[in-house]
Amino acid sequence: MNKEQLYDALDYVNHSREKRMEMAMLISENPQLIKPLLEIAFEDKNPISSKACWVMEFTAKENLPYLFPYLNQFTKAIGLLKLDSSVRPMAKICEYLIKGYFQKKHEDVRTALNEVHLEEITSACFDWLIGNHKVAAQAYSMTCLLLLGRKFDWIHPELKMTLEKNYAAGSAAYKARARMTLEKIKN
């Protein structure tokens, strides 16, 4: 399957878990499609790009190491995404990566992610947290930043300040996640 055929296949993907999973299985069976899938995902003005992001999320959940050869491309481009329907799944992938990085059983993630990748994920997460994004992307960002604060000591004070500043204007879901995150920072 080439990139053009991948575009056509993505056109049939919708919000249903079934369609996203079906396409993710195709990608998992053909890992060489990760590169063109990411290229499509980062064509932010293209409506198909969000579908590519959804499929990438499902693929990463089951086969996170498939993303490792493309981490430079991934971490450089995530901060450029504007569509909420693209940001949410990419923020979730960041959460998979960062959770894996801080778990002892995932040495492969610690080996794959370098300092630059961590800094680029940190920057994107702060942008998603500060920007006008839906609460899911912000919640994933809070989780990432909370964990990254273990490695970079400047993150927790900045995260605390950001959450406190935006708390009053946040939705109920935002406030609940912010309270939980602030409690973990305090401890």
Side-chain angles (χ1 to χ4, degrees):
M1 179 180 282
N2 62 28
K3 189 173 177 179
E4 193 172 304
Q5 292 166 320
L6 186 56
Y7 266 111
D8 293 342
L10 286 167
D11 202 29
Y12 292 99
V13 174
N14 59 29
H15 282 89
S16 74
R17 289 186 65 77
E18 179 186 343
K19 290 288 187 189
R20 289 184 282 171
M21 184 57 79
E22 188 179 296
M23 191 66 183
M25 285 174 40
L26 173 72
I27 300 296
S28 294
E29 292 166 3
N30 301 280
Q32 73 277 8
L33 293 175
I34 297 287
K35 186 178 190 305
L37 182 67
L38 282 172
E39 289 170 0
I40 295 168
F42 291 119
E43 293 174 5
D44 201 42
K45 303 232 185 310
N46 185 337
I48 297 288
S49 67
S50 293
K51 294 179 179 190
C53 292
W54 303 341
V55 171
M56 192 66 238
E57 175 195 352
F58 272 59
T59 304
K61 182 178 182 186
E62 299 302 319
N63 296 293
L64 191 57
Y66 287 3
L67 182 60
F68 295 170
Y70 309 101
L71 284 172
N72 288 341
Q73 176 188 0
F74 177 81
T75 60
K76 276 184 182 35
I78 53 173
L80 304 174
L81 293 172
K82 302 294 180 234
L83 299 172
D84 274 323
S85 55
S86 294
V87 169
R88 192 214 52 79
M90 294 311 214
K92 185 65 176 175
I93 293 171
C94 289
E95 186 182 72
Y96 294 148
L97 288 166
I98 298 305
K99 280 183 169 181
Y101 184 85
F102 287 98
Q103 291 176 345
K104 288 187 177 163
K105 65 181 180 179
H106 291 291
E107 184 66 35
D108 58 336
V109 180
R110 270 193 305 287
T111 302
L113 284 171
N114 64 38
E115 200 89 1
V116 173
H117 297 144
L118 295 175
E119 289 169 2
E120 288 171 335
I121 291 171
T122 299
S123 177
C125 286
F126 268 115
D127 288 346
W128 295 331
L129 192 56
I130 294 166
N132 187 21
H133 294 284
K134 295 196 174 170
V135 76
Q138 292 177 328
Y140 301 143
S141 296
M142 287 181 213
T143 300
C144 290
L145 293 168
L146 181 66
L147 291 169
L148 285 162
R150 295 178 186 175
K151 183 165 178 66
F152 302 111
D153 59 0
W154 64 269
I155 291 178
H156 283 168
E158 286 293 319
L159 179 57
K160 181 178 186 270
M161 185 178 68
T162 300
L163 295 177
E164 288 172 346
K165 180 180 172 206
N166 297 331
Y167 187 84
S171 67
Y174 178 93
K175 289 177 180 178
R177 186 44 103 58
R179 275 193 308 273
M180 183 181 81
T181 304
L182 288 166
E183 188 61 35
K184 287 182 179 181
I185 290 172
K186 191 167 36 169
N187 296 333

